[in-house]
Amino acid sequence: MKPIKKTLPQLLQLCLDKKLCFASYREPGCDIVTLAQDGGEPLRLSVDHEISEQRGFAIAPFVESDSCRPILISPDLISVGDAPDESLFARLEQFGGNSLNGCGDIGETYQCDHAEYLQEVDSLVTAIEAGRFAKAVLSRVEIIRDDIREKVVATYIRMCARYPHSLVYIFQADGHLWLGATPEILASVGQGKLQTIALAATRKNTPENQKFSAWSEKERQEQQYVTDYINDLLISFDLKSVKRGLPYPRQAGNMLHLCTEFSCDSHEIGGKLSPLLQALHPTPAVCGMPKEAARTFLHGLEKHDRQYYSGFLGPVNISPEQISLYVNLRCMQVCRGYAQVYVGGGITSDSVAEDEWTETVLKTKTILSALDN
């Protein structure tokens, strides 16, 4: 009788059980890649680390804090595809785990209710009408009081199947366990090109909404804020070869977003990708416009810590000279006995509070639908 081959879910579960620092991800149109670190802690990224010179899976928060810092999971083991080699399991068994990497109980963050969220939207609209900023992205947290740790691997595999146009990931590091599916590239480098996109506004994926003409002026303006910001930023870096496409509805699972694509020759950015990322992040798509004014107002309004939600993450030189960093949207944080789902939406002067709430409910359901068959 032939021995039963071990599977990718078993590989991932072993990484979780041993409290290894690891990440597994699937980019659009690519194989699943799993990388694990042998003991120790992930590298803490700082302004002194030029990211284009690193190798691993990078993770950065919305705002850095003592419990949520930019990190890099450096690979001591890499597996590509959904049929891992048997020898990888023997190697992983020899790896030294670290209790600091396992998901912990960091304490539930603040969860606002329906009425409070409506008040927050109205506060933002009032501030926008007063001219303090043009747009702000308000987020909230939905706490799931259920221990879903045994479902994490199956949920990740299910998300890989459901969201072919997104980066789907799971990572465990530094006391955090997160998984999600995000369609939004912050920046990518490969084949001689640096690429980024301006993504904003959300609708259900229907044949009618796939036409740009079907989108409202409010939605187009929301996306235009992001487009103008990124265009001006790239110009400020003196990138001569920048090309900008026309806006179009881009699919992300069962939803659509308005998208404008940018590209330029990667040699123009040289070894200064980190400064560009610091300037890009957070984009107006997750913060607001003007960025600093919106961020300051949101800091006083939101009562929760976004942590890695609306930060960025992705593989860095796992494939030679290929970097793909995505904005961390549609994600959940898994803790002992509960999980925290993070969602948000762009607020402008035309926003209707109840409609904004409904949009976050739809996004929450999309994330949670992957928990069960």
Side-chain angles (χ1 to χ4, degrees), residues 292-328:
E292 290 308 317
R295 180 159 50 182
T296 298
F297 194 92
L298 288 168
H299 180 72
L301 188 65
E302 294 183 347
K303 297 182 177 66
H304 59 277
D305 182 354
R306 293 192 184 190
Q307 301 192 74
Y308 287 113
Y309 168 70
S310 65
F312 64 88
L313 42 67
V316 176
N317 295 321
I318 298 300
S319 297
E321 299 183 358
Q322 178 68 51
I323 299 171
S324 301
L325 298 172
Y326 293 74
V327 181
N328 190 21

Side-chain angles (χ1 to χ4, degrees), residues 151-199:
K151 299 180 180 179
V152 164
V153 171
T155 300
Y156 166 65
I157 298 298
R158 202 173 293 125
M159 292 171 79
C160 286
R162 289 189 182 183
Y163 305 116
H165 304 291
S166 296
L167 169 81
V168 183
Y169 75 86
I170 177 175
F171 78 79
Q172 175 174 264
D174 220 18
H176 289 266
L177 174 58
W178 289 66
L179 70 160
T182 174
E184 183 172 350
I185 279 278
L186 177 66
S188 68
V189 177
Q191 298 181 333
K193 294 290 183 183
L194 168 70
Q195 295 178 299
T196 186
I197 62 174
L199 199 72

Side-chain angles (χ1 to χ4, degrees), residues 306-356:
R306 293 192 184 190
Q307 301 192 74
Y308 287 113
Y309 168 70
S310 65
F312 64 88
L313 42 67
V316 176
N317 295 321
I318 298 300
S319 297
E321 299 183 358
Q322 178 68 51
I323 299 171
S324 301
L325 298 172
Y326 293 74
V327 181
N328 190 21
L329 306 173
R330 297 186 196 164
C331 56
M332 73 173 74
Q333 178 184 24
V334 180
C335 304
R336 293 197 192 102
Y338 63 97
Q340 302 186 147
V341 178
Y342 294 77
V343 291
I347 310 300
T348 68
S349 59
D350 296 325
S351 292
V352 177
E354 191 63 48
D355 292 345
E356 298 299 335

Side-chain angles (χ1 to χ4, degrees), residues 237-253:
F237 272 75
D238 197 29
L239 303 175
K240 307 294 187 184
S241 60
V242 174
K243 296 179 181 179
R244 184 176 80 178
L246 295 174
Y248 68 95
R250 178 173 176 145
Q251 182 179 347

Side-chain angles (χ1 to χ4, degrees), residues 267-303:
H267 74 269
E268 286 197 82
I269 201 66
K272 298 180 180 179
L273 181 59
S274 285
L276 177 62
L277 293 173
Q278 290 171 14
L280 276 173
H281 173 68
T283 71
V286 296
C287 182
M289 188 71 189
K291 182 163 69 173
E292 290 308 317
R295 180 159 50 182
T296 298
F297 194 92
L298 288 168
H299 180 72
L301 188 65
E302 294 183 347
K303 297 182 177 66

